[in-house]
PDB file of all heavy atoms in Angstrom:
ATOM      1  N   GLU A 105       5.612 -90.021 134.079  1.00  0.00           N
ATOM      2  CA  GLU A 105       4.769 -88.844 134.406  1.00  0.00           C
ATOM      3  C   GLU A 105       4.757 -88.677 135.942  1.00  0.00           C
ATOM      4  O   GLU A 105       4.857 -87.554 136.455  1.00  0.00           O
ATOM      5  CB  GLU A 105       3.366 -89.008 133.917  1.00  0.00           C
ATOM      6  CG  GLU A 105       3.230 -88.845 132.413  1.00  0.00           C
ATOM      7  CD  GLU A 105       1.818 -89.089 131.931  1.00  0.00           C
ATOM      8  OE1 GLU A 105       0.925 -89.354 132.764  1.00  0.00           O
ATOM      9  OE2 GLU A 105       1.579 -89.055 130.722  1.00  0.00           O
ATOM     10  N   ARG A 106       4.638 -89.790 136.679  1.00  0.00           N
ATOM     11  CA  ARG A 106       4.607 -89.740 138.138  1.00  0.00           C
ATOM     12  C   ARG A 106       5.936 -89.218 138.655  1.00  0.00           C
ATOM     13  O   ARG A 106       5.992 -88.353 139.554  1.00  0.00           O
ATOM     14  CB  ARG A 106       4.332 -91.127 138.726  1.00  0.00           C
ATOM     15  CG  ARG A 106       4.164 -91.124 140.237  1.00  0.00           C
ATOM     16  CD  ARG A 106       4.038 -92.538 140.808  1.00  0.00           C
ATOM     17  NE  ARG A 106       5.234 -93.297 140.692  1.00  0.00           N
ATOM     18  CZ  ARG A 106       6.297 -93.149 141.441  1.00  0.00           C
ATOM     19  NH1 ARG A 106       6.353 -92.229 142.357  1.00  0.00           N
ATOM     20  NH2 ARG A 106       7.365 -93.891 141.259  1.00  0.00           N
ATOM     21  N   GLN A 107       7.042 -89.700 138.057  1.00  0.00           N
ATOM     22  CA  GLN A 107       8.389 -89.231 138.542  1.00  0.00           C
ATOM     23  C   GLN A 107       8.589 -87.743 138.253  1.00  0.00           C
ATOM     24  O   GLN A 107       9.125 -87.020 139.073  1.00  0.00           O
ATOM     25  CB  GLN A 107       9.475 -90.069 137.878  1.00  0.00           C
ATOM     26  CG  GLN A 107       9.484 -91.491 138.322  1.00  0.00           C
ATOM     27  CD  GLN A 107      10.487 -92.333 137.575  1.00  0.00           C
ATOM     28  OE1 GLN A 107      11.000 -91.914 136.540  1.00  0.00           O
ATOM     29  NE2 GLN A 107      10.752 -93.533 138.080  1.00  0.00           N
ATOM     30  N   ALA A 108       8.119 -87.257 137.059  1.00  0.00           N
ATOM     31  CA  ALA A 108       8.246 -85.875 136.727  1.00  0.00           C
ATOM     32  C   ALA A 108       7.443 -85.007 137.676  1.00  0.00           C
ATOM     33  O   ALA A 108       7.891 -83.954 138.126  1.00  0.00           O
ATOM     34  CB  ALA A 108       7.831 -85.659 135.309  1.00  0.00           C
ATOM     35  N   ARG A 109       6.160 -85.432 137.979  1.00  0.00           N
ATOM     36  CA  ARG A 109       5.347 -84.688 138.904  1.00  0.00           C
ATOM     37  C   ARG A 109       5.975 -84.636 140.279  1.00  0.00           C
ATOM     38  O   ARG A 109       6.038 -83.566 140.875  1.00  0.00           O
ATOM     39  CB  ARG A 109       3.974 -85.343 139.003  1.00  0.00           C
ATOM     40  CG  ARG A 109       3.023 -84.516 139.899  1.00  0.00           C
ATOM     41  CD  ARG A 109       1.804 -85.328 140.302  1.00  0.00           C
ATOM     42  NE  ARG A 109       2.229 -86.419 141.168  1.00  0.00           N
ATOM     43  CZ  ARG A 109       1.661 -87.596 141.155  1.00  0.00           C
ATOM     44  NH1 ARG A 109       0.670 -87.892 140.375  1.00  0.00           N
ATOM     45  NH2 ARG A 109       2.090 -88.543 141.956  1.00  0.00           N
ATOM     46  N   ASN A 110       6.508 -85.724 140.766  1.00  0.00           N
ATOM     47  CA  ASN A 110       7.108 -85.770 142.106  1.00  0.00           C
ATOM     48  C   ASN A 110       8.374 -84.891 142.144  1.00  0.00           C
ATOM     49  O   ASN A 110       8.603 -84.208 143.137  1.00  0.00           O
ATOM     50  CB  ASN A 110       7.446 -87.195 142.466  1.00  0.00           C
ATOM     51  CG  ASN A 110       6.232 -88.013 142.787  1.00  0.00           C
ATOM     52  OD1 ASN A 110       5.143 -87.480 142.991  1.00  0.00           O
ATOM     53  ND2 ASN A 110       6.394 -89.330 142.847  1.00  0.00           N
ATOM     54  N   ALA A 111       9.157 -84.902 141.064  1.00  0.00           N
ATOM     55  CA  ALA A 111      10.348 -84.076 141.040  1.00  0.00           C
ATOM     56  C   ALA A 111       9.991 -82.596 141.056  1.00  0.00           C
ATOM     57  O   ALA A 111      10.567 -81.797 141.803  1.00  0.00           O
ATOM     58  CB  ALA A 111      11.164 -84.374 139.780  1.00  0.00           C
ATOM     59  N   GLY A 112       9.002 -82.231 140.271  1.00  0.00           N
ATOM     60  CA  GLY A 112       8.532 -80.804 140.245  1.00  0.00           C
ATOM     61  C   GLY A 112       7.988 -80.350 141.580  1.00  0.00           C
ATOM     62  O   GLY A 112       8.306 -79.253 142.008  1.00  0.00           O
ATOM     63  N   LEU A 113       7.216 -81.226 142.224  1.00  0.00           N
ATOM     64  CA  LEU A 113       6.691 -80.866 143.514  1.00  0.00           C
ATOM     65  C   LEU A 113       7.783 -80.745 144.565  1.00  0.00           C
ATOM     66  O   LEU A 113       7.712 -79.899 145.479  1.00  0.00           O
ATOM     67  CB  LEU A 113       5.626 -81.882 143.958  1.00  0.00           C
ATOM     68  CG  LEU A 113       4.319 -81.831 143.194  1.00  0.00           C
ATOM     69  CD1 LEU A 113       3.376 -82.973 143.604  1.00  0.00           C
ATOM     70  CD2 LEU A 113       3.595 -80.496 143.411  1.00  0.00           C
ATOM     71  N   GLY A 114       8.783 -81.628 144.462  1.00  0.00           N
ATOM     72  CA  GLY A 114       9.891 -81.571 145.388  1.00  0.00           C
ATOM     73  C   GLY A 114      10.665 -80.262 145.279  1.00  0.00           C
ATOM     74  O   GLY A 114      11.039 -79.617 146.260  1.00  0.00           O
ATOM     75  N   ILE A 115      10.904 -79.837 144.023  1.00  0.00           N
ATOM     76  CA  ILE A 115      11.590 -78.565 143.800  1.00  0.00           C
ATOM     77  C   ILE A 115      10.727 -77.390 144.314  1.00  0.00           C
ATOM     78  O   ILE A 115      11.267 -76.485 144.968  1.00  0.00           O
ATOM     79  CB  ILE A 115      11.931 -78.363 142.309  1.00  0.00           C
ATOM     80  CG1 ILE A 115      12.938 -79.431 141.869  1.00  0.00           C
ATOM     81  CG2 ILE A 115      12.475 -76.971 142.032  1.00  0.00           C
ATOM     82  CD1 ILE A 115      13.132 -79.507 140.360  1.00  0.00           C
ATOM     83  N   LEU A 116       9.441 -77.460 144.056  1.00  0.00           N
ATOM     84  CA  LEU A 116       8.567 -76.398 144.536  1.00  0.00           C
ATOM     85  C   LEU A 116       8.586 -76.280 146.057  1.00  0.00           C
ATOM     86  O   LEU A 116       8.689 -75.150 146.596  1.00  0.00           O
ATOM     87  CB  LEU A 116       7.111 -76.682 144.047  1.00  0.00           C
ATOM     88  CG  LEU A 116       6.012 -75.715 144.531  1.00  0.00           C
ATOM     89  CD1 LEU A 116       6.238 -74.352 143.881  1.00  0.00           C
ATOM     90  CD2 LEU A 116       4.668 -76.280 144.140  1.00  0.00           C
ATOM     91  N   LYS A 117       8.489 -77.423 146.741  1.00  0.00           N
ATOM     92  CA  LYS A 117       8.554 -77.378 148.204  1.00  0.00           C
ATOM     93  C   LYS A 117       9.877 -76.876 148.718  1.00  0.00           C
ATOM     94  O   LYS A 117       9.950 -76.143 149.705  1.00  0.00           O
ATOM     95  CB  LYS A 117       8.252 -78.801 148.753  1.00  0.00           C
ATOM     96  CG  LYS A 117       6.818 -79.182 148.705  1.00  0.00           C
ATOM     97  CD  LYS A 117       6.626 -80.500 149.352  1.00  0.00           C
ATOM     98  CE  LYS A 117       5.202 -80.752 149.727  1.00  0.00           C
ATOM     99  NZ  LYS A 117       5.046 -82.032 150.477  1.00  0.00           N
ATOM    100  N   THR A 118      10.965 -77.322 148.113  1.00  0.00           N
ATOM    101  CA  THR A 118      12.309 -76.913 148.556  1.00  0.00           C
ATOM    102  C   THR A 118      12.477 -75.419 148.377  1.00  0.00           C
ATOM    103  O   THR A 118      13.001 -74.738 149.264  1.00  0.00           O
ATOM    104  CB  THR A 118      13.369 -77.675 147.755  1.00  0.00           C
ATOM    105  OG1 THR A 118      13.196 -79.066 147.958  1.00  0.00           O
ATOM    106  CG2 THR A 118      14.775 -77.249 148.227  1.00  0.00           C
ATOM    107  N   CYS A 119      12.018 -74.876 147.220  1.00  0.00           N
ATOM    108  CA  CYS A 119      12.121 -73.459 146.988  1.00  0.00           C
ATOM    109  C   CYS A 119      11.306 -72.705 148.090  1.00  0.00           C
ATOM    110  O   CYS A 119      11.779 -71.665 148.616  1.00  0.00           O
ATOM    111  CB  CYS A 119      11.605 -73.053 145.639  1.00  0.00           C
ATOM    112  SG  CYS A 119      12.716 -73.525 144.289  1.00  0.00           S
ATOM    113  N   GLY A 120      10.175 -73.183 148.398  1.00  0.00           N
ATOM    114  CA  GLY A 120       9.332 -72.551 149.437  1.00  0.00           C
ATOM    115  C   GLY A 120      10.032 -72.538 150.794  1.00  0.00           C
ATOM    116  O   GLY A 120      10.025 -71.547 151.480  1.00  0.00           O
ATOM    117  N   LYS A 121      10.618 -73.666 151.151  1.00  0.00           N
ATOM    118  CA  LYS A 121      11.324 -73.722 152.446  1.00  0.00           C
ATOM    119  C   LYS A 121      12.532 -72.828 152.498  1.00  0.00           C
ATOM    120  O   LYS A 121      12.911 -72.295 153.545  1.00  0.00           O
ATOM    121  CB  LYS A 121      11.723 -75.182 152.744  1.00  0.00           C
ATOM    122  CG  LYS A 121      10.556 -76.047 153.061  1.00  0.00           C
ATOM    123  CD  LYS A 121      11.016 -77.457 153.361  1.00  0.00           C
ATOM    124  CE  LYS A 121       9.817 -78.363 153.702  1.00  0.00           C
ATOM    125  NZ  LYS A 121      10.215 -79.722 153.981  1.00  0.00           N
ATOM    126  N   LEU A 122      13.225 -72.646 151.313  1.00  0.00           N
ATOM    127  CA  LEU A 122      14.393 -71.813 151.264  1.00  0.00           C
ATOM    128  C   LEU A 122      14.062 -70.313 151.059  1.00  0.00           C
ATOM    129  O   LEU A 122      14.901 -69.465 151.140  1.00  0.00           O
ATOM    130  CB  LEU A 122      15.309 -72.265 150.144  1.00  0.00           C
ATOM    131  CG  LEU A 122      15.971 -73.634 150.319  1.00  0.00           C
ATOM    132  CD1 LEU A 122      16.688 -74.062 149.041  1.00  0.00           C
ATOM    133  CD2 LEU A 122      16.909 -73.631 151.508  1.00  0.00           C
ATOM    134  N   GLY A 123      12.761 -70.048 150.748  1.00  0.00           N
ATOM    135  CA  GLY A 123      12.340 -68.675 150.552  1.00  0.00           C
ATOM    136  C   GLY A 123      12.800 -68.073 149.243  1.00  0.00           C
ATOM    137  O   GLY A 123      13.006 -66.868 149.177  1.00  0.00           O
ATOM    138  N   ILE A 124      12.951 -68.898 148.226  1.00  0.00           N
ATOM    139  CA  ILE A 124      13.345 -68.417 146.920  1.00  0.00           C
ATOM    140  C   ILE A 124      12.212 -68.675 145.944  1.00  0.00           C
ATOM    141  O   ILE A 124      11.366 -69.544 146.141  1.00  0.00           O
ATOM    142  CB  ILE A 124      14.668 -68.999 146.444  1.00  0.00           C
ATOM    143  CG1 ILE A 124      14.570 -70.537 146.298  1.00  0.00           C
ATOM    144  CG2 ILE A 124      15.790 -68.627 147.331  1.00  0.00           C
ATOM    145  CD1 ILE A 124      15.792 -71.173 145.699  1.00  0.00           C
ATOM    146  N   SER A 125      12.231 -67.945 144.838  1.00  0.00           N
ATOM    147  CA  SER A 125      11.149 -68.065 143.839  1.00  0.00           C
ATOM    148  C   SER A 125      11.310 -69.326 142.973  1.00  0.00           C
ATOM    149  O   SER A 125      12.351 -69.581 142.398  1.00  0.00           O
ATOM    150  CB  SER A 125      11.213 -66.846 142.908  1.00  0.00           C
ATOM    151  OG  SER A 125      10.370 -67.062 141.783  1.00  0.00           O
ATOM    152  N   PHE A 126      10.230 -70.110 142.940  1.00  0.00           N
ATOM    153  CA  PHE A 126      10.180 -71.340 142.129  1.00  0.00           C
ATOM    154  C   PHE A 126      10.308 -70.942 140.641  1.00  0.00           C
ATOM    155  O   PHE A 126      11.047 -71.570 139.865  1.00  0.00           O
ATOM    156  CB  PHE A 126       8.867 -72.062 142.363  1.00  0.00           C
ATOM    157  CG  PHE A 126       8.698 -73.272 141.523  1.00  0.00           C
ATOM    158  CD1 PHE A 126       9.475 -74.389 141.689  1.00  0.00           C
ATOM    159  CD2 PHE A 126       7.657 -73.334 140.564  1.00  0.00           C
ATOM    160  CE1 PHE A 126       9.307 -75.527 140.904  1.00  0.00           C
ATOM    161  CE2 PHE A 126       7.451 -74.451 139.832  1.00  0.00           C
ATOM    162  CZ  PHE A 126       8.252 -75.551 139.979  1.00  0.00           C
ATOM    163  N   GLY A 127       9.632 -69.914 140.245  1.00  0.00           N
ATOM    164  CA  GLY A 127       9.651 -69.407 138.860  1.00  0.00           C
ATOM    165  C   GLY A 127      11.052 -69.006 138.436  1.00  0.00           C
ATOM    166  O   GLY A 127      11.509 -69.321 137.344  1.00  0.00           O
ATOM    167  N   ASP A 128      11.704 -68.209 139.309  1.00  0.00           N
ATOM    168  CA  ASP A 128      13.090 -67.786 139.005  1.00  0.00           C
ATOM    169  C   ASP A 128      14.031 -69.006 138.899  1.00  0.00           C
ATOM    170  O   ASP A 128      14.947 -69.001 138.063  1.00  0.00           O
ATOM    171  CB  ASP A 128      13.585 -66.797 140.074  1.00  0.00           C
ATOM    172  CG  ASP A 128      12.901 -65.441 139.979  1.00  0.00           C
ATOM    173  OD1 ASP A 128      12.258 -65.167 138.967  1.00  0.00           O
ATOM    174  OD2 ASP A 128      13.108 -64.654 140.953  1.00  0.00           O
ATOM    175  N   THR A 129      13.827 -69.924 139.812  1.00  0.00           N
ATOM    176  CA  THR A 129      14.663 -71.146 139.777  1.00  0.00           C
ATOM    177  C   THR A 129      14.516 -71.904 138.468  1.00  0.00           C
ATOM    178  O   THR A 129      15.525 -72.267 137.821  1.00  0.00           O
ATOM    179  CB  THR A 129      14.323 -72.058 140.986  1.00  0.00           C
ATOM    180  OG1 THR A 129      14.499 -71.340 142.174  1.00  0.00           O
ATOM    181  CG2 THR A 129      15.201 -73.303 140.961  1.00  0.00           C
ATOM    182  N   LEU A 130      13.324 -72.110 138.022  1.00  0.00           N
ATOM    183  CA  LEU A 130      13.061 -72.808 136.739  1.00  0.00           C
ATOM    184  C   LEU A 130      13.601 -72.013 135.589  1.00  0.00           C
ATOM    185  O   LEU A 130      14.241 -72.576 134.676  1.00  0.00           O
ATOM    186  CB  LEU A 130      11.600 -73.107 136.559  1.00  0.00           C
ATOM    187  CG  LEU A 130      10.949 -74.177 137.436  1.00  0.00           C
ATOM    188  CD1 LEU A 130       9.495 -74.400 137.059  1.00  0.00           C
ATOM    189  CD2 LEU A 130      11.729 -75.462 137.329  1.00  0.00           C
ATOM    190  N   ALA A 131      13.356 -70.739 135.584  1.00  0.00           N
ATOM    191  CA  ALA A 131      13.821 -69.886 134.490  1.00  0.00           C
ATOM    192  C   ALA A 131      15.333 -69.944 134.368  1.00  0.00           C
ATOM    193  O   ALA A 131      15.906 -70.047 133.269  1.00  0.00           O
ATOM    194  CB  ALA A 131      13.350 -68.460 134.669  1.00  0.00           C
ATOM    195  N   ASP A 132      16.046 -69.883 135.521  1.00  0.00           N
ATOM    196  CA  ASP A 132      17.500 -69.974 135.490  1.00  0.00           C
ATOM    197  C   ASP A 132      17.945 -71.320 134.967  1.00  0.00           C
ATOM    198  O   ASP A 132      18.875 -71.383 134.185  1.00  0.00           O
ATOM    199  CB  ASP A 132      18.057 -69.719 136.901  1.00  0.00           C
ATOM    200  CG  ASP A 132      19.563 -69.717 136.958  1.00  0.00           C
ATOM    201  OD1 ASP A 132      20.191 -69.093 136.079  1.00  0.00           O
ATOM    202  OD2 ASP A 132      20.118 -70.337 137.861  1.00  0.00           O
ATOM    203  N   ARG A 133      17.333 -72.397 135.426  1.00  0.00           N
ATOM    204  CA  ARG A 133      17.733 -73.757 135.012  1.00  0.00           C
ATOM    205  C   ARG A 133      17.500 -73.991 133.523  1.00  0.00           C
ATOM    206  O   ARG A 133      18.275 -74.656 132.845  1.00  0.00           O
ATOM    207  CB  ARG A 133      16.990 -74.824 135.786  1.00  0.00           C
ATOM    208  CG  ARG A 133      17.271 -74.836 137.277  1.00  0.00           C
ATOM    209  CD  ARG A 133      18.753 -74.865 137.640  1.00  0.00           C
ATOM    210  NE  ARG A 133      18.988 -74.829 139.032  1.00  0.00           N
ATOM    211  CZ  ARG A 133      19.176 -73.741 139.753  1.00  0.00           C
ATOM    212  NH1 ARG A 133      19.178 -72.579 139.211  1.00  0.00           N
ATOM    213  NH2 ARG A 133      19.396 -73.811 141.028  1.00  0.00           N
ATOM    214  N   PHE A 134      16.406 -73.385 132.968  1.00  0.00           N
ATOM    215  CA  PHE A 134      16.094 -73.564 131.573  1.00  0.00           C
ATOM    216  C   PHE A 134      16.793 -72.562 130.664  1.00  0.00           C
ATOM    217  O   PHE A 134      16.622 -72.515 129.485  1.00  0.00           O
ATOM    218  CB  PHE A 134      14.617 -73.545 131.331  1.00  0.00           C
ATOM    219  CG  PHE A 134      13.903 -74.761 131.835  1.00  0.00           C
ATOM    220  CD1 PHE A 134      12.821 -74.681 132.725  1.00  0.00           C
ATOM    221  CD2 PHE A 134      14.310 -76.031 131.457  1.00  0.00           C
ATOM    222  CE1 PHE A 134      12.173 -75.812 133.171  1.00  0.00           C
ATOM    223  CE2 PHE A 134      13.669 -77.167 131.924  1.00  0.00           C
ATOM    224  CZ  PHE A 134      12.616 -77.056 132.787  1.00  0.00           C
ATOM    225  N   GLY A 135      17.551 -71.625 131.293  1.00  0.00           N
ATOM    226  CA  GLY A 135      18.319 -70.646 130.514  1.00  0.00           C
ATOM    227  C   GLY A 135      17.488 -69.544 129.862  1.00  0.00           C
ATOM    228  O   GLY A 135      17.843 -69.085 128.782  1.00  0.00           O
ATOM    229  N   VAL A 136      16.424 -69.129 130.533  1.00  0.00           N
ATOM    230  CA  VAL A 136      15.596 -68.072 129.994  1.00  0.00           C
ATOM    231  C   VAL A 136      16.360 -66.763 130.076  1.00  0.00           C
ATOM    232  O   VAL A 136      16.930 -66.390 131.105  1.00  0.00           O
ATOM    233  CB  VAL A 136      14.246 -67.939 130.793  1.00  0.00           C
ATOM    234  CG1 VAL A 136      13.426 -66.775 130.322  1.00  0.00           C
ATOM    235  CG2 VAL A 136      13.459 -69.238 130.704  1.00  0.00           C
ATOM    236  N   ALA A 137      16.407 -66.076 128.938  1.00  0.00           N
ATOM    237  CA  ALA A 137      17.145 -64.818 128.831  1.00  0.00           C
ATOM    238  C   ALA A 137      16.594 -63.791 129.823  1.00  0.00           C
ATOM    239  O   ALA A 137      15.368 -63.620 129.951  1.00  0.00           O
ATOM    240  CB  ALA A 137      17.071 -64.250 127.433  1.00  0.00           C
ATOM    241  N   GLY A 138      17.477 -63.121 130.555  1.00  0.00           N
ATOM    242  CA  GLY A 138      17.067 -62.088 131.504  1.00  0.00           C
ATOM    243  C   GLY A 138      16.612 -62.574 132.828  1.00  0.00           C
ATOM    244  O   GLY A 138      16.240 -61.799 133.691  1.00  0.00           O
ATOM    245  N   SER A 139      16.626 -63.886 133.044  1.00  0.00           N
ATOM    246  CA  SER A 139      16.235 -64.418 134.363  1.00  0.00           C
ATOM    247  C   SER A 139      17.353 -64.268 135.389  1.00  0.00           C
ATOM    248  O   SER A 139      18.532 -64.252 135.018  1.00  0.00           O
ATOM    249  CB  SER A 139      15.842 -65.895 134.258  1.00  0.00           C
ATOM    250  OG  SER A 139      16.944 -66.673 133.902  1.00  0.00           O
ATOM    251  N   PRO A 140      16.998 -64.061 136.633  1.00  0.00           N
ATOM    252  CA  PRO A 140      18.025 -63.894 137.645  1.00  0.00           C
ATOM    253  C   PRO A 140      18.773 -65.214 137.873  1.00  0.00           C
ATOM    254  O   PRO A 140      18.265 -66.278 137.637  1.00  0.00           O
ATOM    255  CB  PRO A 140      17.221 -63.502 138.924  1.00  0.00           C
ATOM    256  CG  PRO A 140      15.855 -63.983 138.674  1.00  0.00           C
ATOM    257  CD  PRO A 140      15.667 -63.967 137.186  1.00  0.00           C
TER     258      PRO A 140
END
Side-chain angles (χ1 to χ4, degrees):
E105 288 177 3
R106 185 186 68 76
Q107 290 174 349
R109 183 196 65 216
N110 288 346
L113 289 174
I115 294 168
L116 177 67
K117 283 184 163 185
T118 302
C119 286
K121 289 180 180 182
L122 293 172
I124 60 175
S125 168
F126 176 68
D128 288 347
T129 301
L130 287 184
D132 183 46
R133 297 308 178 268
F134 289 126
V136 175
S139 65

